[in-house]
C-alpha cells in the first residue's frame, strides 16, 4: 500500500482555526499581502531583479523625508509579504495619500542600492481606503 500524499494545508475547519490562532499577526498579514499581489497580477518584490521593469503592490510601512545630494526626497518602504522595496520620489517633500499603512501599486525600473531594491520616481496608484 502506498501512503497518501501529504499536503501543507491543514484539513478540516477545526484544524484551520487552530492553525490561524497559532500564527502570528505579522505572518497572517504577510500571507494576505502575498495573496493580494497575486490577485492583482503584480510581480512579487522578492522576485524582482536589478534593472527589471516591474509592477508591484503592497503596504507602505514607513514614509520619511530624506534629502539626497541636497535635493528633497520622499522615501517609503513598500512591503508585499515577501520582501521590502524602497520607493523614492526625488524633489518631493510630501505627496497627499502617501502615508504608513496605505496600500498602493507602483511601477517602474528596479535598481539595487546598498543591497536593497529601490524604485525611483515610480508611476503609482493608491488603493481605495475601503479595501484596506
Amino acid at each position: 500500500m502506498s501512503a497518501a500524499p501529504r499536503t501543507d494545508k491543514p484539513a478540516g475547519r477545526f484544524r484551520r482555526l487552530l492553525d490561524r490562532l497559532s500564527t502570528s499577526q505579522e505572518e497572517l498579514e504577510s500571507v494576505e499581502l502575498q495573496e493580494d499581489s497575486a490577485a492583482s497580477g503584480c510581480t512579487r518584490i522578492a522576485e524582482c531583479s536589478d534593472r527589471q521593469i516591474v509592477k508591484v503592490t503592497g503596504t507602505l510601512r514607513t514614509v520619511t523625508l530624506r534629502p539626497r545630494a541636497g535635493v528633497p526626497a520622499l522615501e517609503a518602504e513598500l512591503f508585499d509579504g515577501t520582501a521590502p522595496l524602497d520607493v523614492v520620489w526625488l524633489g518631493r517633500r510630501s505627496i497627499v495619500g502617501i502615508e504608513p499603512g496605505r496600500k498602493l501599486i507602483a511601477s517602474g525600473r528596479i535598481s539595487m542600492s546598498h543591497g536593497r531594491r529601490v524604485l525611483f520616481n515610480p508611476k503609482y496608484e493608491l488603493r481605495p481606503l475601503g479595501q484596506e
Side-chain angles (χ1 to χ4, degrees), residues 49-96:
S49 57
D50 193 26
R51 308 296 301 152
Q52 180 182 3
I53 295 176
V54 297
K55 179 179 173 186
V56 295
T57 187
T59 300
L60 295 175
R61 283 180 164 175
T62 61
V63 178
T64 57
L65 177 61
R66 184 172 300 141
R68 288 180 174 248
V71 177
L74 185 65
E75 293 188 11
E77 183 183 81
L78 184 71
F79 184 69
D80 73 346
T82 64
L85 169 70
D86 294 331
V87 183
V88 180
W89 289 273
L90 297 170
R92 302 296 298 263
R93 293 186 188 280
S94 66
I95 299 174
V96 175

Side-chain angles (χ1 to χ4, degrees), residues 86-132:
D86 294 331
V87 183
V88 180
W89 289 273
L90 297 170
R92 302 296 298 263
R93 293 186 188 280
S94 66
I95 299 174
V96 175
I98 301 297
E99 55 196 30
R102 189 72 189 257
K103 291 184 181 181
L104 66 86
I105 297 173
S107 60
R109 187 178 302 271
I110 295 284
S111 58
M112 296 297 284
S113 176
H114 304 289
R116 290 181 59 98
R117 294 171 183 88
V118 183
L119 195 56
F120 287 99
N121 296 324
K123 292 181 184 176
Y124 67 95
E125 174 185 334
L126 294 171
R127 304 290 296 273
L129 289 170
Q131 293 184 0
E132 297 175 4

